[in-house]
Amino acid sequence: MVEAIDAAEVRTRSHIGSWRGTDELGELMQTLEDVFDQLQRSAFRQRFRLKPAEEAYLRNKSVATVLEHAGDFVRQRLAPAIPKNDGKQTPLRGHPVFVAQHATATCCRGCLSKWHYIPSGRELSTAEKAHVVEAIARWLRMQDVNVARDEPAGTGLPLFAWAGADESNR
């Protein structure tokens, strides 16, 4: 089952005219545009690149499958109010999603709080999980990996959609 979130449900216009994402609790979170602007100024975040094996994995498994993995990783490792081994739960390499999580500061609740303004200490909302997966998808889209030819027409990286609930397709 795919849990899809309409961008109109997730975004509201702020009083200063910039788009601010809000979750269903009404709490503001940093927009991906703002986060990515800030991440570009971080030497630590900019050093993350996919290795050849991770690029091959992305091409061979398909973007859709890798984003399903992202949704699973977010739900299992990041979404709980107090994630197990928080701050150390995301390996630095071994899967394209892990590299993307470090590059986008979606690797732990501390980074989510600092970079995305998503508070820790409570379970992530549906909108927040979608925000994290979209950050990962956006970073993967920015990498110089030609996966578009491997995807059927119209199945590019989704905006605010991720597979998370259906375990039967593995």
Side-chain angles (χ1 to χ4, degrees):
M1 174 191 292
V2 175
E3 181 178 14
I5 300 171
D6 181 14
E9 294 175 21
V10 180
R11 295 182 177 216
T12 58
R13 192 119 178 137
S14 76
H15 67 282
I16 57 172
S18 65
W19 288 100
R20 285 285 198 221
T22 59
D23 64 13
E24 57 264 22
L25 302 175
E27 294 185 15
L28 284 178
M29 62 184 150
Q30 188 81 295
T31 65
L32 288 180
E33 290 78 16
D34 291 342
V35 171
F36 275 78
D37 284 346
Q38 293 170 4
L39 290 172
Q40 288 179 357
R41 293 189 290 272
S42 169
F44 176 74
R45 301 290 169 191
Q46 287 297 304
R47 75 180 182 152
F48 289 98
R49 299 280 185 266
L50 295 175
K51 304 279 191 251
E54 294 154 345
E55 289 178 355
Y57 185 89
L58 185 60
R59 280 191 302 271
N60 294 335
K61 292 291 185 180
S62 85
V63 172
T65 299
V66 170
L67 290 179
E68 285 181 26
H69 297 169
D72 291 343
F73 293 150
V74 168
R75 189 181 72 253
Q76 295 167 4
R77 298 175 180 225
L78 205 56
I82 303 172
K84 183 179 178 185
N85 299 322
D86 194 27
K88 298 177 184 175
Q89 74 265 43
T90 305
L92 288 169
R93 59 187 165 274
H95 195 288
V97 171
F98 298 154
V99 179
Q101 283 185 275
H102 288 290
T104 60
T106 58
C107 47
C108 68
R109 294 302 292 269
C111 289
L112 279 178
S113 178
K114 176 182 177 180
W115 291 89
H116 297 264
Y117 302 164
I118 297 174
S120 54
R122 63 167 174 75
E123 189 170 335
L124 291 180
S125 70
T126 302
E128 290 164 342
K129 288 183 269 189
H131 172 91
V132 170
V133 173
E134 178 55 26
I136 293 165
R138 185 175 188 168
W139 186 84
L140 289 171
R141 216 183 282 127
M142 293 167 51
Q143 303 314 295
D144 192 22
V145 178
N146 187 1
V147 294
R149 67 174 183 225
D150 298 335
E151 295 293 314
T155 61
L157 296 173
L159 178 64
F160 296 109
W162 62 287
D166 187 7
E167 297 292 335
S168 64
N169 61 357
R170 303 229 201 306

